[in-house]
Amino acid sequence: MPASGTPLKRLGFLTIGLFDPADPAGGHETMLRIIERGEQLGFDSAWLRQRHLQYGISSPTAVLAAASQRTNRIELGTAVIPIGAENPFRLAEDLATVDVLTRGRLNPGFSAGVPMNLDHYRDAIYPHTSEHEDFGYERLLRFRDFVRGDVVSGFAGRQGIEEFADTVQPHASGLVDRLWYGGGSTRSAVWAGENGFHFLTSSVVQGEEGDDFATNQRSQILSYRAAHPLADAARVSQGLVVIPTDSASASQRARYEAYAASRAGRVGVPHGPKRMLFAADLVGTSAELADRLHADPAFQLVDEVAFALPFSFEPDDYAQILTDLAERLGPALGWEPAAR
């Protein structure tokens, strides 16, 4: 256990899963191998971002279904699926199926609101109904009702030789208790708490209390737990970009430092009308990173993380980063790997 406080209980990683448009199969295979490697290293969870009309994972449900057949223990999550681009009924069927395939290891995370860049593809997804669509929280609550097993049909029974249910099938027992909400504002944090979702907080938050990222993130975590029935026991996962360099080559270290430097200008400056704030990317040895994390006011409130892998690195970089996270930084934070 580190001298600075509570040991980290759960260590995860998050990736966008980029691929070359000329070889999408190769990129998806690399992603699956990264998840397999994560399980071998003892990580507790692997999380996928969802991206529409980009060269990243557009269907995390399909990728996680594949990953379910190549792993046995590691939990598999989404961070996040924008519910506004989904049919809640069909998504409930898909995610319940994946959870059955994982034998209860799925942790779906969502966001509500108008999906990013929806104007670019609105006519493709909602050509006649976009002005009638509910992109808010109610859409996500409908999904939760379906997963929970609420009745969705006025008929159940036999019709000819076929049997019909009045609830979404398959029913994935326990999935409703593993739903996460990715929020970046006090309003979203309070909503997630009041509605019993677990809470994902990332490297982007709304600046409601000045321009310091960690101060705002800590405040949102406290607001979430104050609203949640479980209070301080409610689960929160923090997702910062954290890059350990212990076993990195000189060229890797230089590339990592250049990556962080290229994004440093956005830190500490509010962006847009909602005053969005970005966390600094953390690069250094595991000892250095542990000191910085222990000094982070928001990290001090959590005991689980899903460190975000940078978008544009190479497979060898991800292998090195994951290995150092599991074998060096994790233990420096008091974490113990799951049985392999």
Side-chain angles (χ1 to χ4, degrees):
M1 174 173 170
S4 56
T6 304
L8 186 68
K9 292 182 180 178
R10 302 178 65 81
L11 177 64
F13 65 91
L14 166 67
T15 180
I16 193 174
L18 291 180
F19 60 83
D20 183 341
D23 181 25
H28 284 75
E29 175 62 24
T30 295
M31 180 68 264
L32 291 170
R33 290 179 181 176
I34 288 173
I35 295 174
E36 287 182 284
R37 180 58 178 157
E39 176 164 271
Q40 293 165 4
L41 289 167
F43 277 87
D44 298 293
S45 61
W47 300 77
L48 303 184
R49 297 180 187 268
Q50 183 176 38
R51 286 291 186 267
H52 294 299
L53 302 179
Q54 290 183 262
Y55 304 118
I57 295 172
S58 59
S59 180
T61 53
V63 174
L64 293 181
S68 75
Q69 304 304 292
R70 297 167 66 156
T71 58
N72 297 299
R73 175 199 52 77
I74 193 170
E75 294 187 359
L76 304 171
T78 61
V80 290
I81 295 173
I83 194 68
E86 302 289 341
N87 178 306
F89 177 83
R90 280 292 301 114
L91 186 63
E93 292 181 321
D94 286 348
L95 290 178
T97 299
V98 175
D99 192 51
V100 169
L101 292 173
T102 68
R103 291 178 168 80
R105 291 185 282 136
L106 189 64
N107 283 259
F110 304 91
S111 64
V114 177
M116 182 177 68
N117 295 327
L118 179 63
D119 285 346
H120 296 172
Y121 60 95
R122 184 187 300 270
D123 290 343
I125 187 171
Y126 301 122
H128 307 297
T129 63
S130 62
E131 67 273 19
H132 304 296
E133 294 292 336
D134 176 10
F135 296 113
Y137 295 132
E138 287 302 315
R139 195 181 191 93
L140 181 53
L141 292 178
R142 285 170 54 209
F143 165 84
R144 186 178 68 177
D145 292 346
F146 298 153
V147 169
R148 183 170 55 202
D150 288 12
V151 172
V152 299
S153 170
F155 172 75
R158 183 174 292 276
Q159 201 171 58
I161 62 172
E162 297 187 65
E163 194 75 27
F164 291 85
D166 57 6
T167 58
V168 165
Q169 297 299 318
H171 176 67
S173 178
L175 179 58
V176 72
D177 299 318
R178 284 179 267 115
L179 304 182
W180 294 74
Y181 188 79
S185 68
T186 300
R187 176 175 176 265
S188 62
V190 170
W191 181 87
E194 290 175 342
N195 287 276
F197 285 76
H198 307 309
F199 190 54
L200 294 163
T201 180
S202 72
S203 57
V204 185
V205 301
Q206 191 170 333
E208 301 165 304
E209 299 184 14
D211 297 344
D212 181 67
F213 175 88
T215 298
N216 282 276
Q217 189 171 59
R218 179 182 177 90
S219 177
Q220 290 172 17
I221 294 172
L222 291 172
S223 296
Y224 163 75
R225 286 184 167 146
H228 198 288
L230 297 179
D232 290 347
R235 291 179 66 185
V236 178
S237 179
Q238 185 189 47
L240 303 180
V241 176
V242 177
I243 308 174
T245 59
D246 303 88
S247 66
S249 66
S251 61
Q252 285 177 316
R253 285 194 298 272
R255 192 167 351 104
Y256 301 164
E257 290 166 358
Y259 174 84
S262 72
R263 291 159 37 109
R266 66 183 191 167
V267 177
V269 180
H271 297 262
K274 292 188 177 181
R275 305 187 75 257
M276 303 309 294
L277 299 172
F278 293 87
D281 299 331
L282 306 183
V283 181
T285 66
S286 289
E288 293 168 342
L289 294 175
D291 287 343
R292 293 182 69 179
L293 288 167
H294 285 142
D296 182 313
F299 180 82
Q300 293 167 4
L301 295 179
V302 304
D303 58 14
E304 54 186 294
V305 296
F307 290 138
L309 299 177
F311 293 173
S312 55
F313 289 2
E314 297 297 323
D316 287 346
D317 300 333
Y318 294 136
Q320 175 266 312
I321 291 169
L322 288 178
T323 300
D324 283 355
L325 286 175
E327 296 183 351
R328 307 202 185 193
L329 179 57
L333 298 172
W335 174 77
E336 296 181 1
R340 304 181 188 181

